[in-house]
Tab-separated table of all heavy atoms in Angstrom:
chain	number	residue	atom	x	y	z
A	40	VAL	N	5.860	0.698	1.696
A	40	VAL	CA	5.454	1.441	2.897
A	40	VAL	C	5.135	0.426	3.998
A	40	VAL	O	4.178	-0.351	3.895
A	40	VAL	CB	4.230	2.338	2.608
A	40	VAL	CG1	3.887	3.179	3.840
A	40	VAL	CG2	4.494	3.249	1.407
A	41	LEU	N	5.993	0.413	5.008
A	41	LEU	CA	5.829	-0.541	6.114
A	41	LEU	C	4.662	-0.133	7.005
A	41	LEU	O	4.382	1.057	7.116
A	41	LEU	CB	7.116	-0.582	6.939
A	41	LEU	CG	8.332	-1.162	6.176
A	41	LEU	CD1	9.610	-0.931	6.985
A	41	LEU	CD2	8.126	-2.641	5.891
A	42	LYS	N	4.005	-1.086	7.702
A	42	LYS	CA	4.355	-2.480	7.511
A	42	LYS	C	3.482	-3.156	6.452
A	42	LYS	O	3.864	-4.147	5.844
A	42	LYS	CB	4.147	-3.256	8.837
A	42	LYS	CG	4.958	-2.800	9.988
A	42	LYS	CD	4.573	-3.646	11.236
A	42	LYS	CE	5.165	-3.100	12.484
A	42	LYS	NZ	4.653	-3.799	13.684
A	43	GLY	N	2.268	-2.652	6.312
A	43	GLY	CA	1.221	-3.375	5.579
A	43	GLY	C	1.567	-3.866	4.184
A	43	GLY	O	1.022	-4.857	3.718
A	44	ALA	N	2.495	-3.162	3.485
A	44	ALA	CA	2.725	-3.478	2.069
A	44	ALA	C	3.671	-4.649	1.839
A	44	ALA	O	3.890	-5.051	0.702
A	44	ALA	CB	3.276	-2.243	1.358
A	65	ARG	N	8.647	3.999	6.621
A	65	ARG	CA	7.560	3.779	7.577
A	65	ARG	C	7.039	5.142	7.985
A	65	ARG	O	7.811	6.061	8.260
A	65	ARG	CB	8.078	3.007	8.790
A	65	ARG	CG	7.037	2.783	9.852
A	65	ARG	CD	7.225	1.411	10.516
A	65	ARG	NE	6.300	1.196	11.617
A	65	ARG	CZ	4.992	0.979	11.474
A	65	ARG	NH1	4.427	0.987	10.288
A	65	ARG	NH2	4.244	0.772	12.535
A	66	LEU	N	5.735	5.285	7.985
A	66	LEU	CA	5.110	6.561	8.320
A	66	LEU	C	4.153	6.355	9.473
A	66	LEU	O	3.533	5.302	9.591
A	66	LEU	CB	4.300	7.067	7.111
A	66	LEU	CG	5.108	7.252	5.831
A	66	LEU	CD1	4.234	7.057	4.618
A	66	LEU	CD2	5.722	8.624	5.798
A	67	VAL	N	4.042	7.366	10.300
A	67	VAL	CA	3.037	7.292	11.360
A	67	VAL	C	2.100	8.467	11.185
A	67	VAL	O	2.520	9.608	10.984
A	67	VAL	CB	3.694	7.332	12.753
A	67	VAL	CG1	2.634	7.448	13.829
A	67	VAL	CG2	4.502	6.072	12.983
A	68	SER	N	0.821	8.136	11.227
A	68	SER	CA	-0.221	9.138	11.072
A	68	SER	C	-0.838	9.370	12.443
A	68	SER	O	-1.259	8.424	13.095
A	68	SER	CB	-1.248	8.572	10.092
A	68	SER	OG	-2.225	9.500	9.847
A	70	HIS	N	-3.513	10.643	15.268
A	70	HIS	CA	-4.975	10.652	15.313
A	70	HIS	C	-5.503	11.480	16.480
A	70	HIS	O	-4.915	11.501	17.553
A	70	HIS	CB	-5.508	9.226	15.467
A	70	HIS	CG	-5.299	8.406	14.241
A	70	HIS	ND1	-4.073	7.878	13.909
A	70	HIS	CD2	-6.154	8.065	13.250
A	70	HIS	CE1	-4.191	7.236	12.754
A	70	HIS	NE2	-5.432	7.333	12.333
A	75	SER	N	-7.933	10.765	11.720
A	75	SER	CA	-6.574	11.208	11.431
A	75	SER	C	-6.498	12.729	11.512
A	75	SER	O	-7.345	13.436	10.986
A	75	SER	CB	-6.161	10.737	10.041
A	75	SER	OG	-4.927	11.316	9.715
A	79	VAL	N	1.385	13.560	9.372
A	79	VAL	CA	2.066	12.313	9.021
A	79	VAL	C	3.564	12.512	9.161
A	79	VAL	O	4.107	13.473	8.626
A	79	VAL	CB	1.737	11.908	7.558
A	79	VAL	CG1	2.463	10.632	7.168
A	79	VAL	CG2	0.244	11.760	7.367
A	98	GLU	N	2.026	0.391	-1.751
A	98	GLU	CA	1.279	0.580	-0.505
A	98	GLU	C	0.176	-0.483	-0.427
A	98	GLU	O	-0.315	-0.942	-1.466
A	98	GLU	CB	0.704	2.003	-0.524
A	98	GLU	CG	-0.187	2.395	0.610
A	98	GLU	CD	0.482	2.372	1.986
A	98	GLU	OE1	0.836	1.268	2.435
A	98	GLU	OE2	0.596	3.429	2.612
A	99	ASP	N	-0.218	-0.853	0.781
A	99	ASP	CA	-1.290	-1.856	0.879
A	99	ASP	C	-2.676	-1.248	0.666
A	99	ASP	O	-3.517	-1.846	0.011
A	99	ASP	CB	-1.222	-2.619	2.220
A	99	ASP	CG	-1.309	-1.714	3.436
A	99	ASP	OD1	-1.117	-0.487	3.290
A	99	ASP	OD2	-1.566	-2.219	4.536
A	100	ILE	N	-2.913	-0.043	1.229
A	100	ILE	CA	-4.268	0.502	1.113
A	100	ILE	C	-4.262	2.029	1.118
A	100	ILE	O	-3.476	2.645	1.838
A	100	ILE	CB	-5.170	-0.060	2.245
A	100	ILE	CG1	-6.631	0.344	2.054
A	100	ILE	CG2	-4.680	0.336	3.627
A	100	ILE	CD1	-7.620	-0.494	2.876
A	101	VAL	N	-5.107	2.608	0.271
A	101	VAL	CA	-5.371	4.049	0.329
A	101	VAL	C	-6.740	4.207	0.968
A	101	VAL	O	-7.731	3.652	0.477
A	101	VAL	CB	-5.449	4.726	-1.053
A	101	VAL	CG1	-5.341	6.244	-0.899
A	101	VAL	CG2	-4.416	4.196	-1.998
A	102	ASP	N	-6.764	4.956	2.059
A	102	ASP	CA	-8.005	5.143	2.802
A	102	ASP	C	-8.371	6.632	2.687
A	102	ASP	O	-8.940	7.058	1.678
A	102	ASP	CB	-7.723	4.688	4.242
A	102	ASP	CG	-8.959	4.570	5.097
A	102	ASP	OD1	-10.021	5.019	4.669
A	102	ASP	OD2	-8.860	4.048	6.220
A	103	THR	N	-8.005	7.445	3.675
A	103	THR	CA	-8.284	8.879	3.561
A	103	THR	C	-7.419	9.531	2.478
A	103	THR	O	-7.744	10.608	1.984
A	103	THR	CB	-7.993	9.610	4.888
A	103	THR	OG1	-6.604	9.484	5.176
A	103	THR	CG2	-8.811	9.029	6.029
A	104	GLY	N	-6.307	8.889	2.145
A	104	GLY	CA	-5.383	9.456	1.153
A	104	GLY	C	-4.311	10.335	1.785
A	104	GLY	O	-3.382	10.782	1.110
A	105	ILE	N	-4.413	10.548	3.092
A	105	ILE	CA	-3.505	11.481	3.783
A	105	ILE	C	-2.061	10.971	3.765
A	105	ILE	O	-1.125	11.713	3.456
A	105	ILE	CB	-4.000	11.744	5.226
A	105	ILE	CG1	-5.296	12.575	5.177
A	105	ILE	CG2	-2.935	12.451	6.051
A	105	ILE	CD1	-6.011	12.717	6.501
A	106	THR	N	-1.867	9.684	4.066
A	106	THR	CA	-0.512	9.124	4.129
A	106	THR	C	0.195	9.236	2.779
A	106	THR	O	1.316	9.744	2.686
A	106	THR	CB	-0.566	7.640	4.556
A	106	THR	OG1	-1.267	7.550	5.797
A	106	THR	CG2	0.819	7.050	4.714
A	107	LEU	N	-0.473	8.784	1.728
A	107	LEU	CA	0.196	8.771	0.426
A	107	LEU	C	0.388	10.165	-0.139
A	107	LEU	O	1.410	10.437	-0.774
A	107	LEU	CB	-0.570	7.880	-0.554
A	107	LEU	CG	-0.185	6.411	-0.457
A	107	LEU	CD1	-1.101	5.555	-1.309
A	107	LEU	CD2	1.271	6.180	-0.860
A	133	ARG	N	-13.683	6.665	1.284
A	133	ARG	CA	-13.158	7.220	2.536
A	133	ARG	C	-12.221	8.414	2.350
A	133	ARG	O	-11.703	8.956	3.324
A	133	ARG	CB	-12.396	6.113	3.278
A	133	ARG	CG	-13.278	4.964	3.707
A	133	ARG	CD	-13.506	4.949	5.165
A	133	ARG	NE	-12.278	5.173	5.897
A	133	ARG	CZ	-12.237	5.570	7.165
A	133	ARG	NH1	-13.362	5.823	7.806
A	133	ARG	NH2	-11.082	5.735	7.782
A	134	ARG	N	-12.000	8.831	1.101
A	134	ARG	CA	-11.029	9.901	0.861
A	134	ARG	C	-11.354	11.193	1.601
A	134	ARG	O	-12.489	11.651	1.590
A	134	ARG	CB	-11.009	10.248	-0.618
A	134	ARG	CG	-10.048	9.644	-1.465
A	134	ARG	CD	-8.694	9.283	-1.073
A	134	ARG	NE	-8.169	8.602	-2.211
A	134	ARG	CZ	-8.406	7.314	-2.449
A	134	ARG	NH1	-9.068	6.570	-1.589
A	134	ARG	NH2	-7.946	6.750	-3.534
A	156	GLY	N	-1.143	-8.925	4.678
A	156	GLY	CA	-0.307	-7.822	5.162
A	156	GLY	C	-1.046	-6.823	6.035
A	156	GLY	O	-0.434	-6.116	6.831
A	157	LEU	N	-2.375	-6.758	5.899
A	157	LEU	CA	-3.131	-5.761	6.677
A	157	LEU	C	-3.522	-6.317	8.042
A	157	LEU	O	-3.847	-7.503	8.169
A	157	LEU	CB	-4.399	-5.345	5.916
A	157	LEU	CG	-4.147	-4.521	4.661
A	157	LEU	CD1	-4.266	-5.387	3.430
A	157	LEU	CD2	-5.119	-3.362	4.583
A	158	ASP	N	-3.528	-5.433	9.028
A	158	ASP	CA	-3.716	-5.893	10.406
A	158	ASP	C	-4.891	-5.247	11.117
A	158	ASP	O	-5.427	-4.227	10.681
A	158	ASP	CB	-2.470	-5.556	11.233
A	158	ASP	CG	-2.401	-4.064	11.580
A	158	ASP	OD1	-2.554	-3.237	10.658
A	158	ASP	OD2	-2.232	-3.733	12.773
A	161	GLU	N	-2.170	-5.348	14.943
A	161	GLU	CA	-1.026	-6.207	14.606
A	161	GLU	C	-1.384	-7.678	14.388
A	161	GLU	O	-0.503	-8.496	14.140
A	161	GLU	CB	0.108	-6.092	15.639
A	161	GLU	CG	0.776	-4.720	15.673
A	161	GLU	CD	1.353	-4.296	14.320
A	161	GLU	OE1	1.856	-5.147	13.573
A	161	GLU	OE2	1.267	-3.094	14.003
A	164	ARG	N	-2.100	-10.235	9.869
A	164	ARG	CA	-1.325	-9.894	8.665
A	164	ARG	C	-0.985	-11.130	7.850
A	164	ARG	O	-0.807	-11.076	6.647
A	164	ARG	CB	-0.014	-9.196	9.048
A	164	ARG	CG	-0.176	-7.805	9.645
A	164	ARG	CD	1.161	-7.075	9.636
A	164	ARG	NE	1.201	-5.954	10.565
A	164	ARG	CZ	0.856	-4.699	10.266
A	164	ARG	NH1	0.405	-4.420	9.063
A	164	ARG	NH2	0.936	-3.745	11.155
B	1	LIG	C1	-2.317	2.109	6.835
B	1	LIG	C2	-1.918	1.819	5.403
B	1	LIG	C3	-1.529	3.156	4.864
B	1	LIG	C4	-2.430	4.106	5.614
B	1	LIG	C5	-3.581	4.479	4.751
B	1	LIG	O1	-1.158	2.082	7.615
B	1	LIG	O2	-0.861	0.899	5.340
B	1	LIG	O3	-0.187	3.461	5.092
B	1	LIG	O4	-2.887	3.415	6.795
B	1	LIG	O5	-4.408	5.356	5.408
B	1	LIG	P1	-4.753	6.832	4.894
B	1	LIG	O6	-5.016	6.775	3.416
B	1	LIG	O7	-5.990	7.144	5.673
B	1	LIG	O8	-3.621	7.735	5.265
B	1	LIG	P2	-1.145	1.839	9.177
B	1	LIG	O9	-1.004	3.166	9.858
B	1	LIG	O10	-2.322	0.996	9.568
B	1	LIG	O11	0.214	1.069	9.398
B	1	LIG	P3	0.679	-0.412	8.963
B	1	LIG	O12	0.873	-0.400	7.461
B	1	LIG	O13	1.964	-0.580	9.693
B	1	LIG	O14	-0.378	-1.394	9.389
Side-chain angles (χ1 to χ4, degrees):
V40 184
L41 294 170
K42 299 178 190 172
R65 178 144 176 72
L66 302 151
V67 172
S68 183
H70 290 77
S75 172
V79 179
E98 176 62 294
D99 58 344
I100 187 163
V101 195
D102 191 349
T103 63
I105 290 171
T106 304
L107 275 172
R133 296 252 315 161
R134 265 326 175 278
L157 291 101
D158 75 310
E161 294 303 324
R164 292 195 199 270

